[in-house]
Amino acid sequence: KVLWAARLARLDFSRQTGKLASKLHCWSKNDDRRMKRMAEYMNSTVDYKLRGFLCDAPEDLELWLFADADLSSDPDTTKSTSGAFIVLVGPSTWIPLAWICAKQTSTARSTAEAESVSMVTALLSEGYPILNMLELIFGRKITLRLKEDNTATIKVLQKGYSPKLRH
């Protein structure tokens, strides 16, 4: 049931639920403590809700994709975690459509690399498919705005190349 809630309505459960689910084959007393802490958090945040509002015409809407990553957050594997949040936005509209929280498949050597992998993952797995679906529904081109908070990654994107990220 927790996995269902994390997937459909409570994105704040996603990371911890995924981490605990990956430990089922090698559960420890520490994981019992993590599970208890998560249950306590869930009980204390019962009133949290995912909300959206739609008050604009279809021609005023655009798609925003927020991508983020942390560097080597998993102490066991030193792999980073990708996160993304995709929202339909207008002057008076905010509709959350999808989110991602997943461990990266390779070990990043820098924050910019982890952020870049997160952006590509978000664009390919959720961003472009949702963009194509909305363009089909609305019968027009939709603007996709990529939101990034890491300055080094933004500079790499503007430049188009980084010798440090050349693999």
Side-chain angles (χ1 to χ4, degrees):
K1 291 182 180 182
V2 175
L3 190 56
W4 176 82
R7 179 66 186 110
L8 295 179
R10 293 291 303 269
L11 63 136
D12 52 330
F13 295 169
S14 294
R15 183 170 183 195
Q16 192 59 28
T17 302
K19 284 180 93 171
L20 285 171
S22 70
K23 300 281 189 173
L24 287 176
H25 68 285
C26 58
W27 197 261
S28 69
K29 288 188 184 229
N30 209 18
D31 295 319
D32 284 334
R33 285 190 283 276
R34 287 187 184 113
M35 182 64 126
K36 181 178 184 283
R37 185 172 180 191
M38 186 172 160
E40 289 167 350
Y41 173 77
M42 290 167 53
N43 286 334
S44 67
T45 60
V46 169
D47 295 332
Y48 287 14
K49 293 177 179 46
L50 185 63
R51 296 179 189 217
F53 48 92
L54 177 64
C55 303
D56 296 311
E59 54 272 1
D60 295 332
L61 302 177
E62 50 187 39
L63 194 61
W64 287 11
L65 189 151
F66 297 87
D68 201 7
D70 59 1
L71 182 62
S72 303
S73 63
D74 189 339
D76 298 329
T77 63
T78 68
K79 296 202 174 148
S80 303
T81 302
S82 293
F85 186 62
I86 302 164
V87 189
L88 191 61
V89 177
S92 300
T93 296
W94 181 268
I95 301 286
L97 298 176
W99 56 86
I100 301 167
C101 182
K103 189 174 7 174
Q104 294 182 0
T105 56
S106 61
T107 301
R109 296 179 297 171
S110 68
T111 303
E113 183 178 349
E115 294 276 347
S116 300
V117 169
S118 178
M119 271 193 300
V120 169
T121 301
L123 281 169
L124 294 178
S125 66
E126 297 287 342
Y128 291 144
I130 290 173
L131 179 68
N132 291 337
M133 179 190 68
L134 290 175
E135 287 179 348
L136 188 65
I137 290 170
F138 294 143
R140 67 172 182 89
K141 290 287 184 195
I142 302 286
T143 301
L144 171 63
R145 296 193 189 277
L146 183 59
K147 304 293 186 172
E148 175 59 51
D149 64 348
N150 185 279
T151 356
T153 307
I154 293 169
K155 287 180 183 175
V156 168
L157 289 173
Q158 288 171 340
K159 198 174 181 183
Y161 175 77
S162 170
K164 291 182 180 178
L165 301 177
R166 67 179 178 270
H167 62 284

